[in-house]
Amino acid sequence: MNWLSRMRGWFGPGAAGAGAAPRRGGETHLDRAADSLRALIEDRSIPKSVREALADDYAEIQALLDKLEQDQLHVAVFGRVSVGKSALLNALAGRDAFASGVLHGTTVRQQRVHWDSAAADAPQLGALVLIDTPGIDELDGEQREALAHEIAERADLVLFVVDADMTAVEHRALGEVAVGGRPLLLVLNKADRYTDAERAALLARLGEHAAGRVRREHIVPAMAAPAPERVLRETPQGEQVVERERGADVEALRRAILTLMEREGRSFAALNAALAAGRLSDAVGARLIALRRAAADRIVHAYCLAKGVAVALNPVPVADLLAAAALDVALVAHLGRVYGMPPSRAEAGRLLAVILGQLAALMGAVWGVHLVASALKLGTGGLSTVATAGAQGALAWYATYVVGRVAERWYAQGRSWGPQGPKQVVREIVESLDRDSILREARAEILGRLRGRDADGGRRR
């Protein structure tokens, strides 16, 4: 699609690193992304049935467009259950905005709040939104894990949260989330559990796990909800242990988020829009291909039946072949209209000539039988039609079926034979077909139509 080609040109490799100017005056990456999403939503050439089948995908694109128009940037957490994702967002927000607790997997759905304090510190970023997600690797939590992946795919920045050395599940998930160079910060939460030396070693180890996916400076320690601190205090009665609450420490993470978003946030948002549009483009394309293939199946079957019956009924040899050729030209033209590339009659005739030329080279014997049957039909004065018409019509059916499938391949490839050329395309299609099965089906349907015609009072031959 043209709009997707334009977006890929605008947001190709290296675009994210270039940064983006504030949305003032001239066109920016975000303006272009919004215009392209709007054009996709408003494209009336997409059939209603495709839109209805992809309603959820279109809703995602509309939500993305709303986000761009409201100048929002989304930051989502992602990670195993109970690594403290909700607590981390609460610490960043400076309030208990997200449900958190000691239960395994407290978050079961998406939650989001505006990060007001950060917006106050960095007003040029527009509206920053924090998004909580369900945890991965939860028992019987496949649907919630799928939701977490969906949210991470749409976010402009993902905070991948761990609380220890990376597990095999986390390592695999990091690869999935980082696909396509998605912006990531790897956060070591609950860093207060470790001594300084242990923390340094663990951060280094995480750097090894994330090599090629997350830059070293984007691996950040945090303490969202540190354990109470035990201190000794002297009292008149003697020494005793007193627990003292400690405040969260997410300042390094906060600075990393704001720095990254100030530098590249809008480019991230534009790229994210392009990725989502690409996903919808693929889905629409797949649906259109399926619809066109279904329509082509119906059309090819209709022409096969028409040709088979016409050949079976026509007592004059050669004349039935000429009529069959005319039907094949019409079939080729009809398939072109289905694929949005209608040919002229002359173009359809040339394409048919190419197909039949290759088909004759592969199936000379079939055409020989066809001609013999046609001559036999004339020589017997039509008395042997019942014996020969079904077989001859079935051969005509089969030839038209091959013509239709080859022409459809040519249109589906953009009016091109591809690197293989017509000879190989025809050979592949012929070899992929069960000729005996098609001939049996064709003969049965043709004879059924002929008998039905006689039963309705038609001329018995």
Side-chain angles (χ1 to χ4, degrees):
M1 294 184 180
N2 290 336
W3 59 267
L4 183 57
S5 299
R6 291 197 300 271
M7 292 187 79
R8 284 173 174 162
W10 295 331
F11 312 123
R23 299 183 69 185
R24 298 194 189 106
E27 188 178 48
T28 67
H29 287 174
L30 282 180
D31 295 321
R32 290 178 173 183
D35 289 343
S36 296
L37 294 183
R38 195 175 297 109
L40 174 58
I41 292 172
E42 296 173 357
D43 185 356
R44 297 307 167 195
S45 68
I46 305 300
K48 181 180 179 182
S49 61
V50 173
R51 287 179 172 274
E52 291 174 347
L54 299 174
D56 291 344
D57 302 84
Y58 272 94
E60 176 189 347
I61 293 299
Q62 183 62 60
L64 258 177
L65 178 59
D66 294 342
K67 168 180 168 288
L68 293 181
E69 291 179 337
Q70 295 165 18
D71 200 17
Q72 290 184 355
L73 294 174
H74 289 183
V75 179
V77 290
F78 184 94
R80 281 189 306 107
V81 293
S82 300
V83 294
K85 300 185 300 296
S86 302
L88 190 69
L89 292 182
N90 284 335
L92 287 170
R95 57 192 175 93
D96 291 334
F98 300 92
S100 62
V102 297
L103 293 178
H104 186 70
T106 300
T107 302
V108 295
R109 60 183 177 82
Q110 153 177 207
Q111 302 175 68
R112 60 178 63 195
V113 300
H114 284 268
W115 192 6
D116 298 326
S117 59
D121 293 341
Q124 72 279 10
L125 287 178
L128 285 169
V129 178
L130 300 175
I131 304 176
D132 199 3
T133 64
I136 62 172
D137 196 28
E138 182 180 355
L139 185 65
D140 297 327
E142 290 82 4
Q143 289 185 334
R144 292 190 289 276
E145 180 170 340
L147 174 60
H149 278 278
E150 289 177 12
I151 296 167
E153 283 184 356
R154 301 169 190 167
D156 302 313
L157 176 64
V158 175
L159 309 181
F160 194 105
V161 185
V162 298
D163 63 358
D165 196 5
M166 205 171 285
T167 66
V169 169
E170 288 171 326
H171 192 271
R172 183 177 65 252
L174 179 63
E176 294 169 352
V177 174
V179 67
R182 182 173 300 283
L184 285 172
L185 288 175
L186 180 54
V187 184
L188 173 60
N189 194 24
K190 305 179 184 179
D192 53 298
R193 292 180 174 181
Y194 307 99
T195 66
D196 291 344
E198 290 171 338
R199 189 181 307 129
L202 184 50
L203 290 171
R205 179 67 175 156
L206 291 174
E208 295 173 5
H209 287 307
R213 296 167 177 168
V214 183
R215 294 162 61 178
R216 286 296 183 104
E217 61 268 30
H218 292 164
I219 303 175
V220 187
M223 293 181 287
E229 184 178 25
R230 290 181 178 272
V231 297
L232 294 176
R233 193 171 69 181
E234 221 175 283
T235 66
Q237 292 78 26
E239 294 181 348
Q240 66 178 20
V241 175
V242 176
E243 289 191 341
R244 184 174 65 191
E245 293 290 337
R246 287 191 293 177
D249 185 357
V250 293
E251 186 56 32
L253 176 60
R254 176 190 174 89
R255 287 198 306 270
I257 295 172
L258 293 182
T259 298
L260 195 57
M261 297 302 269
E262 284 177 340
R263 187 174 69 242
E264 299 177 309
R266 286 193 169 87
S267 288
F268 291 160
L271 279 167
N272 200 40
L275 290 171
R279 290 193 296 272
L280 179 58
S281 170
D282 291 342
V284 168
R287 286 280 177 176
L288 288 175
I289 289 171
L291 284 176
R292 284 171 173 165
R293 185 60 193 268
D297 285 345
R298 294 192 296 271
I299 290 165
V300 170
H301 181 270
Y303 275 89
C304 286
L305 179 60
K307 181 177 173 181
V309 171
V311 168
L313 287 174
N314 197 329
V316 182
V318 181
D320 57 1
L321 297 181
L322 293 176
L327 280 172
D328 286 343
V329 170
L331 169 60
V332 169
H334 201 159
L335 289 173
R337 291 194 293 275
V338 168
Y339 278 85
M341 294 172 276
S344 66
R345 187 171 183 81
E347 289 173 330
R350 287 193 294 270
L351 175 58
L352 177 62
V354 172
I355 297 172
L356 292 181
Q358 299 301 326
L359 187 59
L362 288 173
M363 303 181 63
V366 170
W367 293 108
V369 172
H370 186 96
L371 289 170
V372 169
S374 184
L376 174 63
K377 190 165 57 173
L378 180 64
T380 58
L383 296 177
S384 62
T385 297
V386 173
T388 62
Q392 188 187 21
L395 287 170
W397 176 307
Y398 178 78
T400 292
Y401 188 83
V402 175
V403 167
R405 287 295 169 229
V406 174
E408 183 188 2
R409 171 83 67 87
W410 187 75
Y411 285 120
Q413 294 179 167
R415 294 170 65 105
S416 168
W417 295 113
Q420 299 172 309
K423 180 178 180 180
Q424 186 60 31
V425 170
V426 172
R427 181 183 297 276
E428 282 183 5
I429 289 176
V430 169
E431 290 177 350
S432 71
L433 299 176
D434 183 347
R435 186 174 65 184
D436 292 341
S437 175
I438 293 173
L439 289 173
R440 282 196 302 271
E441 177 187 349
R443 188 172 185 276
E445 189 161 349
I446 289 168
L447 291 177
R449 290 299 179 104
L450 293 177
R451 293 188 183 106
R453 179 176 178 273
D454 288 340
D456 290 338
R459 180 174 59 86
R460 188 178 299 276
R461 299 172 55 198

